[in-house]
Amino acid sequence: MIRRFCFFIILVGSCLANVACEPGRIILDSPTDQPDQMPVITLVNSQENFFILSANCAYSVELDDPDTTWLSLNSDALKGSQAEHFSVGLAAKIEGLTAGAYSTSVRISFHRASDPQQSDYVLLPVLLVVGEDPQVLSQLENGLRQSVFSQALGRTPSNNVFQVGLSISLAGHTIIDILDRTQLQAARDSSRQLASTPQHLDTDQSYELVFPFMALEFLSADLEEDIADVEPNLDAVNMVSYERYRINSGGSFRIIQVNGQELSDPKDWADEKELQAWPMIIGCSNDYAVTQMYVNRAEIAEAAVAEAQAKGYTGYILDVEGSTDNLRRGYYLDFVEHLAEALHQNGFKLMVCQARWSTIAPVADLANTSVDYVGSMDVMHSGWEWRWEQKIPPTYSEIEPERLVWIFSWDFFRGSDGRAEQEAQWAWMQENGYNHNVAGASVFRTPASSPNRYHQIDYYQGFRDYYPVETTDSLDGGQPDPDDDPDSGTDQPDGSVSDGGSASDGSTSDGGTDDDTDDDTDDDPPAQEDCYSSTLKQYVEDGECIQVSYAACSQSRCGWYTCRNGRWYCSEEGACDKTAHENPSCNPRNCYSTTWGSWQEHGGCIQVVYAACGQPSCGWLKCNDGLWNCSQTDDCAGTSLAQDSCQDD
C-alpha cells in the first residue's frame, strides 16, 4: 500500500507502464525464495524514510545509478569492515520533477575481508511518487506486484557464501542483515543443540503479558485469517495487540486507513475471548514529526485517553522508530512521559517499543520514565548465539525485568533452519536467565502458528513451553461471563449480569427466601422465581428481559438475557414474555473525531481535509454507531461539520 506517511510502507513490485517510472533491478531474498517478499521503499513527494542495515563482513551502500539526482542517502556509516544495525536515511528532492512515479535502487555491496573475490551485492528498490492524485497512488498500489519482478526474478547472492535476511519492524521498516555464512557456522553448531525439548524451565513462573500482534491490512493481512490463527491457541495468550493508530507528521492522532477505509478492528472479538486489547500507536521519527509530537503532546494524550475510554482498552503499545539527535530524543522522551501520565491518571497503561538500532528511545532512557512496559525488538534478528550475545544481555540489564517484554518475529526465521534457530534462541534465553522475571513475550505477527505459507514455527507452542500465561483471575483485562459463577451474587464489571446472590431482604441466590415452608399444595403450580440483575440493581420477574452493555449471547455488544425461574438465559431482542429492560448505554454510539478534536453524535457528519472516500481531498465521513463511514452531506442525519478550507470561493 502507498500512503502519505513518514514511516516505511512495504510494497511488492515496482511500477506501472502508464506512469513515469524507470524500473530498477530487484533480487530475491535468499531465506524466503519468494519474490513477493522483497520490499520496495516508497517515498511520497518530499518525505524522508530509512532502512536498517547490519553486516558481519565488509560492505558499502550507494545508489545503483549514480546519475539519480532525486534521491540522497544519509548515514555516517555507508562503508565499513562490519557494522551493527544502523539506519540509512533516504531523502527525496522533487524540485523540477513532474507528477508521476520514479524508481531506482540502493546497491548494498559486500565481500569477505580476507578474500575480496568472494563478493556480491543486493539491490533495494526505491519508489518515489510525485503529486497528490490519489488515483495514481491507487493504480500504483494495485499494479506494482507484477511489473518489476519480471525484470530480474531469481537474482540472489550467487556464491552462497553470504546470507541476506529481510525483516519488517512493527512500524513497517525494512531491516536487512548481511551475514558471512562461514562466520556463523561455529555459533550455529554450538546453538543448534539447544533446539531440543525445553529444559530448565522455571515451573513456578508465569508471565503477565503473552500475545500476538495483528498487522491487519497495514501489511496486507486479513482479520478473519488473523483471528483463525489465534483462536485455537487462546490457552497460550492473554492479550492481543494490533495496528490501529498513528501520529502523523503534523502531530495528529488518527486511525490508520488503507484505501480510504479504517483498519479492521478486532476489539469486539478480543472482548468476546476475554483478551486484553492493547492497540498500537505508530509515529514518525524525522525532526519535524518528533517536534510536532512534542508540541501537540497534550492533544495527542487527550485523544488517546478518549479512544481508550470509548473502546475499553487496557492500554496502548507505542512504536516510533529511527535515529535522531539529542534535542529531538529529549522531545520524544518528554512526549512519552506525558502520554504515560495521562493514561495512568485514567486507569490505562503504556508499553513503548525499542530496539538498539532505534536511538530515538534507548532502553536505559525508557527505564527512567514512568511507562509500564518496554517491548524489545532486540530478539528479532538472526545470527545465532553470535547475534544474541550482542543484543539480549545489555537490553535485559538496562531495565527492571518486570517491565520488559520480548518481541519475537518470524521474518528472519523462515524454513527449517529458521525454525531451529528460533527454538534454539528460546532455549538459550531460558538457559542464560533472560526469561527470568520478565513481564512476558509476544510475536510480530500473525500467522504465529504452523504450518503456514511464511514459516514453520509454532510460536504459541513456544509460549506454552517458555512463557506460560498467568491465570485469568490475576489479569486486569477481559469481560467476565455472567454464567461463570451462578451462585456469586457479586456485581460484575461493566454492568454485567449475575445469576443471583443473597439480597438484603434475606432472599437466596436464586430469588427465593430462606423460609422454606410447605404451604404449596399439589393443586397449585410451583411459583416461578425472580432473578436479580446487577445491571438494574433489582429483582425482575420471571419472563422479563434485560440488556447488558458488553458482548454476550453471540452479540458483539449489548446482548440480551431472559429470566427463567431464577436463572438467566441468553435471549434475543423482542423475544421477551414481559417487560424488556433496554440498556441506555446501548443507544447508537457517538464517534470521536481527531480532526475536529470533539465527539460527533450518531448520524452526524464531518469533513476532513485529506483524501478520503474516493475524493482527492475534503472527503465526508458519517458517524455510524461509533464508526466513521464514507458518506455525502445529504446522507447526514445530524450535525454536519464542514472544513473552511474546503469551501468553494
Side-chain angles (χ1 to χ4, degrees):
M1 95 186 152
I2 302 177
R3 303 304 306 278
R4 297 183 57 205
F5 302 161
C6 61
F7 47 81
F8 269 120
I9 305 301
I10 302 304
L11 296 175
V12 285
S14 179
C15 62
L16 292 175
N18 61 348
V19 287
C21 179
E22 179 184 355
R25 289 170 291 169
I26 294 181
I27 68 156
L28 298 183
D29 172 33
S30 55
T32 67
D33 295 328
Q34 295 184 33
D36 65 355
Q37 296 300 319
M38 189 64 190
V40 176
I41 298 174
T42 303
L43 301 93
V44 178
N45 294 320
S46 296
Q47 71 177 34
E48 299 175 1
N49 283 323
F50 66 91
F51 64 91
I52 306 302
L53 176 66
S54 77
N56 71 344
C57 55
Y59 72 94
S60 63
V61 183
E62 60 189 342
L63 294 178
D64 186 48
D65 181 0
D67 294 330
T68 300
T69 60
W70 53 263
L71 182 67
S72 62
L73 303 177
N74 304 314
S75 175
D76 295 330
L78 293 179
K79 185 176 182 179
S81 58
Q82 63 179 12
E84 262 304 300
H85 292 89
F86 68 98
S87 62
V88 179
L90 299 94
K93 297 175 289 187
I94 65 172
E95 293 79 4
L97 298 179
T98 58
Y102 303 80
S103 72
T104 189
S105 293
V106 174
R107 174 186 285 257
I108 306 171
S109 304
F110 38 91
H111 67 269
R112 182 175 290 172
S114 61
D115 184 4
Q117 296 301 313
Q118 296 284 5
S119 63
D120 217 317
Y121 68 95
V122 297
L123 292 167
L124 183 64
V126 180
L127 177 68
L128 170 66
V129 180
V130 178
E132 304 291 337
D133 188 348
Q135 291 185 349
V136 172
L137 301 182
S138 177
Q139 283 180 315
L140 289 169
E141 180 176 343
N142 295 325
L144 287 177
R145 180 178 298 272
Q146 193 165 359
S147 55
V148 160
F149 288 113
S150 63
Q151 305 295 323
L153 277 176
R155 172 66 172 91
T156 59
S158 59
N159 55 19
N160 292 323
V161 171
F162 304 98
Q163 172 180 308
V164 178
L166 294 175
S167 185
I168 301 172
S169 74
L170 273 67
H173 295 90
T174 300
I175 306 172
I176 303 175
D177 274 2
I178 298 172
L179 302 170
D180 186 333
R181 293 178 186 272
T182 58
Q183 295 189 31
L184 292 179
Q185 191 61 48
R188 179 184 289 111
D189 291 344
S190 65
S191 305
R192 190 183 292 271
Q193 61 184 349
L194 294 172
S196 57
T197 303
Q199 297 178 358
H200 307 291
L201 297 183
D202 293 335
T203 55
D204 60 341
Q205 182 174 357
S206 58
Y207 293 84
E208 182 181 356
L209 303 174
V210 184
F211 60 99
F213 285 89
M214 294 180 176
L216 304 171
E217 296 89 350
F218 183 71
L219 291 180
S220 302
D222 178 83
L223 177 59
E224 291 186 2
E225 291 182 358
D226 288 343
I227 288 175
D229 180 72
V230 181
E231 281 204 340
N233 300 285
L234 293 174
D235 64 301
V237 299
N238 53 22
M239 63 170 273
V240 64
S241 184
Y242 45 92
E243 304 280 0
R244 185 63 182 167
Y245 301 99
R246 67 180 175 92
I247 303 169
N248 68 9
S249 58
S252 296
F253 182 88
R254 295 181 175 177
I255 297 176
I256 298 173
Q257 293 190 346
V258 176
N259 292 331
Q261 299 295 319
E262 294 178 356
L263 294 181
S264 298
D265 188 354
K267 177 59 168 64
D268 288 342
W269 168 82
D271 287 346
E272 178 185 344
K273 302 304 177 183
E274 300 186 5
L275 296 174
Q276 298 179 61
W278 293 63
M280 287 183 63
I281 305 172
I282 59 178
C284 312
S285 62
N286 63 60
D287 291 351
Y288 176 77
V290 173
T291 301
Q292 292 303 307
M293 198 180 301
Y294 171 75
V295 170
N296 295 284
R297 60 193 182 279
E299 292 80 3
I300 295 170
E302 183 180 359
V305 168
E307 279 284 282
Q309 291 173 332
K311 301 287 288 185
Y313 300 142
T314 301
Y316 289 101
I317 297 181
L318 174 67
D319 183 36
V320 178
E321 304 167 1
S323 300
T324 190
D325 56 27
N326 290 335
L327 175 62
R328 251 65 62 163
R329 182 182 301 113
Y331 283 170
Y332 179 66
L333 292 170
D334 284 348
F335 163 76
V336 165
E337 184 65 31
H338 185 91
L339 178 60
E341 290 180 356
L343 291 171
H344 292 163
Q345 289 171 4
N346 290 275
F348 305 109
K349 298 180 180 180
L350 179 65
M351 183 187 303
V352 179
C353 297
Q354 68 81 220
R356 303 198 77 80
W357 51 260
S358 181
T359 61
I360 193 173
V363 64
D365 290 342
L366 291 173
N368 291 324
T369 69
S370 62
V371 301
D372 299 277
Y373 307 99
V374 171
S376 176
M377 294 181 278
D378 289 326
V379 295
M380 282 186 174
H381 308 290
S382 61
W384 296 85
E385 189 171 351
W386 169 78
R387 178 77 77 195
W388 309 337
E389 288 281 6
Q390 294 176 339
K391 302 285 187 180
I392 297 173
T395 297
Y396 183 85
S397 67
E398 290 175 4
I399 189 171
E400 306 95 317
E402 294 81 3
R403 299 171 65 194
L404 181 61
V405 175
W406 297 121
I407 303 176
F408 298 96
S409 173
W410 46 256
D411 272 297
F412 274 131
F413 302 123
R414 301 174 188 246
S416 58
D417 199 54
R419 182 183 67 239
E421 182 172 0
Q422 179 62 90
E423 292 173 350
Q425 184 190 51
W426 284 328
W428 180 87
M429 293 174 67
Q430 188 72 30
E431 186 82 15
N432 289 276
Y434 298 119
N435 292 333
H436 181 64
N437 282 345
V438 298
S442 62
V443 56
F444 182 80
R445 57 207 185 275
T446 49
S449 59
S450 181
N452 63 71
R453 64 183 182 275
Y454 299 112
H455 62 90
Q456 300 179 20
I457 308 165
D458 189 342
Y459 279 90
Y460 299 110
Q461 189 58 48
F463 291 161
R464 294 182 186 100
D465 291 339
Y466 293 98
Y467 307 96
V469 297
E470 290 183 345
T471 59
T472 55
D473 291 341
S474 63
L475 300 177
D476 294 328
Q479 295 285 2
D481 186 337
D483 293 325
D484 277 348
D485 186 5
D487 297 323
S488 79
T490 58
D491 290 343
Q492 304 290 344
D494 300 318
S496 62
V497 182
S498 171
D499 281 326
S502 299
S504 59
D505 60 2
S507 58
T508 62
S509 61
D510 61 6
T513 65
D514 290 329
D515 184 14
D516 188 10
T517 65
D518 296 326
D519 290 342
D520 293 335
T521 65
D522 293 339
D523 295 333
D524 297 323
Q528 299 300 300
E529 298 173 352
D530 298 339
C531 303
Y532 183 78
S533 166
S534 58
T535 297
L536 300 176
K537 300 295 189 284
Q538 68 182 49
Y539 281 90
V540 299
E541 294 181 0
D542 176 75
E544 292 190 35
C545 297
I546 61 107
Q547 186 181 31
V548 296
S549 60
Y550 52 88
C553 300
S554 301
Q555 300 298 313
S556 60
R557 61 186 294 259
C558 299
W560 282 89
Y561 288 91
T562 299
C563 175
R564 296 296 184 193
N565 194 24
R567 304 285 295 178
W568 290 113
Y569 293 89
C570 285
S571 182
E572 296 180 359
E573 184 177 5
C576 297
D577 299 334
K578 297 182 180 178
T579 305
H581 301 274
E582 295 183 351
N583 195 311
S585 62
C586 290
N587 293 330
R589 293 171 289 187
N590 297 332
C591 303
Y592 184 80
S593 167
T594 56
T595 298
W596 289 87
S598 61
W599 289 91
Q600 178 72 314
E601 75 273 14
H602 170 74
C605 295
I606 62 166
Q607 189 176 31
V608 295
V609 297
Y610 51 86
C613 302
Q615 300 298 316
S617 63
C618 301
W620 281 91
L621 302 174
K622 179 181 179 180
C623 177
N624 181 24
D625 194 19
L627 298 175
W628 292 111
N629 295 331
C630 290
S631 181
Q632 301 293 330
T633 53
D634 57 6
D635 188 39
C636 298
T639 304
S640 297
L641 301 178
Q643 293 280 358
D644 292 340
S645 61
C646 292
Q647 306 310 303
D648 295 332
D649 295 335

